[in-house]
Amino acid sequence: MKNPMEFFEHDRLLHIDMIDALRDKTTKVIYSEEDGVLFCRGGWLYEITAVSAEATRKIAALMERKSDIVAHQFKFIPDIFEVTGEKEMLPCMQTSYNKETPVKIPETNRITYRRLTMEDLDFVCRTYRYGENDSRYLSDRISHGMIGAFDGKRCVGFIGEHSEGSMGILEVIPEYRRRGIATALEGMMINKKLKEGRIPYDHVVLGNDASLGLQKSLGMDKAEGIVTWLFTK
């Protein structure tokens, strides 16, 4: 096998999630040659990148059909489906923070920030737009280290990290928006990832221009290509 970094450096920003995955002890390199790379992360997620449709089909044959996948070439998704069967798609823009200096956190009047606890789980489940019926996952994310914004004792927003390593789970309740709280939360999560020796990156759903604007305001770089989540139906 070749060092996957040789492949990634042709388009570093597009592969920043896979580069960060190399720092994760749960990542297993399944395939790494001149025509593509395949990782398995945590035994449940495959990440694939390839130079051609033929290479995509060859590499996809090494994956389990029922696993979730992150694909790095949108045009080759039909070739993945040819091998694995059709899945639900979520195309995203990938942004990443590639500086060594921490983000300067803006001041937000009266708002304090601290790590969430399980006492905050109900609020997170009710507030996170994708949180309904997903308390087990959000409980795991809180235990991993979510950051909350508080006005006194009242939680008004939060951010976390998804299980594969991307930053997300960002919410601020409506009456507290446009006060810089989301910027502060994202900045704190970037700094947390830097301190842990990881690469801060985010997957922004296509069309979410507000989120993309937030990423850019914090100095994050946007990849030219699209990364697409493929979920088992």
Side-chain angles (χ1 to χ4, degrees), residues 91-97 128-130 158-160 162 166-172 177-178 182-187 190 201-222:
C92 298
M93 300 170 283
Q94 182 157 258
T95 62
S96 55
Y97 187 80
Y128 182 47
R129 69 197 74 180
Y130 307 113
F158 49 79
I159 192 171
H162 287 293
S166 65
M167 300 184 298
I169 322 177
L170 174 61
E171 293 284 358
V172 176
R177 292 173 186 168
R178 301 186 183 278
T183 302
L185 285 168
E186 183 97 13
I190 288 173
Y201 73 92
D202 212 328
H203 288 162
V204 181
V205 177
L206 285 183
N208 191 344
D209 294 334
S211 180
L212 181 60
L214 171 62
Q215 317 301 323
K216 289 184 176 180
S217 73
L218 287 162
M220 298 180 74
D221 303 309
K222 175 182 169 295

Side-chain angles (χ1 to χ4, degrees), residues 146-196:
M146 288 183 66
I147 302 170
F150 290 82
D151 185 355
K153 294 183 179 181
R154 183 188 185 192
C155 188
V156 299
F158 49 79
I159 192 171
E161 177 186 341
H162 287 293
S163 53
E164 91 294 346
S166 65
M167 300 184 298
I169 322 177
L170 174 61
E171 293 284 358
V172 176
I173 62 175
E175 60 265 41
Y176 282 82
R177 292 173 186 168
R178 301 186 183 278
R179 301 189 189 185
I181 296 172
T183 302
L185 285 168
E186 183 97 13
M188 289 177 186
M189 185 56 68
I190 288 173
N191 293 345
K192 176 178 181 289
K193 299 277 283 184
L194 289 176
K195 190 174 181 180
E196 293 170 348

Side-chain angles (χ1 to χ4, degrees), residues 111-129:
I111 304 300
T112 59
Y113 300 87
R114 66 164 173 81
R115 181 168 175 162
L116 296 184
T117 70
M118 289 305 164
E119 293 181 358
D120 304 302
L121 177 60
D122 287 344
F123 173 77
V124 172
C125 291
R126 285 186 281 108
T127 307
Y128 182 47
R129 69 197 74 180

Side-chain angles (χ1 to χ4, degrees), residues 68-79:
D68 293 335
I69 302 166
V70 177
H72 289 73
Q73 288 79 29
F74 189 82
K75 63 183 178 180
F76 298 148
I77 289 176
D79 299 283

